[in-house]
Amino acid sequence: MTRPLDGITVVSLEHAVAAPFCARQLADLGARVIKVERPGSGDFARGYDSRVRGQSSHFTWLNRNKESLALDLKDPASLEALKQLLGTADVLLQNLAPGAAARMGLSYEALHAAFPRLIVCDISGYGDNGPYRDKKAYDLLIQSEAGFLSVTGTPETPSKSGISVADIAAGMYAYTNILSALLLRGKTGEGSHIDVSMLEALGEWMGYPMYYAFEGAAPPPRTGASHASIYPYGPFVAGDGGTVMLGLQNEREWKVFCDQVLLAPALATDARFDSNAKRNANRAELQAEILRIFGSLNASDVVQRLDEAGIANAHVNDMAGLWAHPQLLARQRFAPVDTPVGAVPALLPPGRNNQYDYRMDAVPAVGEHTAAILDALQLPADALAAVRKASGL
């Protein structure tokens, strides 16, 4: 079996989420990913929690398929060993603090002459120039800067995303940019410099609310779990206390919803509700009508009516519901992944290809592969001794 990135080596100076998410996806496609970590403690995401049999949930999610190389990059011999390793690599990925990689001589400009085919991808909060260049950036701070908080939550309370959406966005754009750079190198023979900004990544995902508020128009309101501009589209409580998520997209569906789900065909032509704009403006009145009718039904009855009418709907699942989701199980979307404390299930990457299977190899312990990687570099004996000492070997 041949995978798309077999033979590609990625060296990643990574921590937390953005770069590890990018690197893991490259590894899933067959790339060899060498994760450079601090000796002893490693990536600080290893200590975020201990929910996976003593290991961090973030780390377990983001770090399968990787080799862990523990290096003290403040040690000159170790830094020199890293640069020698880059001579064997195709990609250098990093999301260190602003300017940290450049100060170690690991910028694209510093490396390009020696390694012209090397692709260098830098992930930062705000990019490599501009007035915010040197600001520290964490996920929630970028959610705030990008206006995400202004459109998420309830009218009373802005809310952060429940996942690291800014980090994930940046990791996705780093991933696709690296794939593009590999394709480009195949045509030109030359590596690229990729500068990924978390602000710009999440800003792209904010395109709809930006245009909704174009030229000073009012921005979309915060509407909890309901859609900000389409109604009815969101959660509704049935008579047994169960919640059903449903969504309408057009006037045809609105008429079917009134006729077959609410059994109240007159609502379809009610002057308060006969267009989406009116339904959105009068959502409190329409919500009261829907809840009155749903109040005499169980949630399962509502879902049955919605399904029979061809109206989109969904369960409001928690994490236990996602682990046990019948669609994921039917499609066999979980596979075991080894970790330092044993195998755990993991979701396969999205997208099935009939030509190959994804790698689903182990999550490494800190520095697990250091000795093997250093030995393969064939460093002079004194240099190897110095690096091994600095790495705690």
Side-chain angles (χ1 to χ4, degrees), residues 322-340:
L322 182 59
W323 275 114
H325 201 293
Q327 182 69 3
L328 296 175
L329 297 177
R331 284 170 54 83
Q332 300 179 320
R333 297 308 294 167
F334 290 100
V337 167
D338 286 332
T339 78

Side-chain angles (χ1 to χ4, degrees), residues 261-272:
V261 178
L262 299 181
L263 306 183
L267 279 178
T269 55
D270 188 307
R272 297 169 297 170

Side-chain angles (χ1 to χ4, degrees), residues 90-109:
D90 299 278
V91 179
L92 170 62
L93 170 65
Q94 68 88 17
N95 69 330
L96 303 180
R103 288 192 294 272
M104 291 187 288
L106 299 175
S107 66
Y108 173 77
E109 292 77 14

Side-chain angles (χ1 to χ4, degrees), residues 24-351:
R24 197 216 73 195
Q25 293 178 96
L26 297 170
D28 290 345
L29 294 180
R32 180 191 186 195
V33 173
I34 299 173
K35 178 185 182 78
V36 180
E37 301 191 77
R38 300 175 185 86
S41 59
D43 179 346
F44 55 71
R46 288 181 181 271
Y48 278 173
D49 58 56
S50 57
R51 301 305 293 262
V52 186
R53 300 175 190 163
Q55 298 181 117
S56 159
S57 52
H58 276 85
F59 195 86
T60 303
W61 165 44
L62 294 170
N63 289 284
R64 65 173 177 252
N65 298 327
K66 299 180 184 179
E67 299 172 38
S68 175
L69 170 61
L71 286 179
D72 178 1
L73 296 183
K74 295 179 180 179
D75 171 62
S78 300
L79 181 57
E80 190 57 37
L82 175 64
K83 291 178 180 177
Q84 185 164 331
L85 179 62
L86 291 175
T88 70
D90 299 278
V91 179
L92 170 62
L93 170 65
Q94 68 88 17
N95 69 330
L96 303 180
R103 288 192 294 272
M104 291 187 288
L106 299 175
S107 66
Y108 173 77
E109 292 77 14
L111 295 170
H112 184 63
F115 312 121
R117 291 177 54 83
L118 182 67
I119 295 162
V120 177
C121 180
D122 300 321
I123 302 176
S124 63
Y126 299 101
D128 66 3
N129 66 329
Y132 280 43
R133 181 191 67 182
D134 297 324
K135 281 180 71 74
K136 284 188 175 181
Y138 302 132
D139 182 84
L140 179 54
L141 305 182
I142 298 297
Q143 289 188 39
S144 182
E145 288 281 356
F148 183 90
L149 298 184
S150 76
V151 300
T152 306
T154 66
E156 300 77 22
T157 308
S159 299
K160 67 181 283 294
S161 167
I163 59 174
S164 302
V165 65
D167 282 323
I168 293 168
M172 286 300 302
Y173 284 111
Y175 170 56
T176 54
N177 270 271
I178 288 170
L179 295 177
S180 298
L182 288 167
L183 288 172
L184 182 62
R185 191 183 70 176
K187 297 177 180 180
T188 67
E190 187 171 357
S192 304
H193 179 218
I194 301 165
D195 170 25
V196 175
S197 154
M198 292 170 64
L199 177 64
E200 291 160 19
L202 190 56
E204 167 63 22
W205 290 11
M206 293 294 293
Y208 141 65
M210 288 178 73
Y211 281 117
Y212 190 92
F214 191 57
E215 293 184 335
R222 294 190 299 272
T223 53
S226 296
H227 196 285
S229 58
I230 303 174
Y231 200 82
Y233 193 153
F236 294 88
V237 178
D240 62 351
T243 300
V244 177
M245 186 73 70
L246 64 90
L248 307 182
Q249 288 286 330
N250 53 55
E251 296 310 304
R252 180 193 63 79
E253 290 186 344
W254 165 242
K255 185 177 185 306
V256 170
F257 180 69
C258 293
D259 290 350
Q260 299 182 34
V261 178
L262 299 181
L263 306 183
L267 279 178
T269 55
D270 188 307
R272 297 169 297 170
F273 310 134
D274 61 3
S275 71
N276 179 65
K278 292 181 180 179
R279 292 193 292 275
N280 192 44
N282 298 304
R283 61 170 61 199
E285 296 169 71
L286 180 52
Q287 180 187 49
E289 292 286 345
I290 294 172
L291 292 179
R292 179 182 62 79
I293 295 168
F294 281 8
S296 63
L297 303 169
N298 293 330
S300 59
D301 299 328
V302 174
V303 169
Q304 182 176 347
R305 287 192 188 185
L306 291 166
D307 284 340
E308 290 174 352
I311 300 297
N313 64 87
H315 297 283
V316 183
N317 279 325
D318 57 14
M319 291 303 96
L322 182 59
W323 275 114
H325 201 293
Q327 182 69 3
L328 296 175
L329 297 177
R331 284 170 54 83
Q332 300 179 320
R333 297 308 294 167
F334 290 100
V337 167
D338 286 332
T339 78
V341 293
V344 298
L347 268 174
L348 288 162

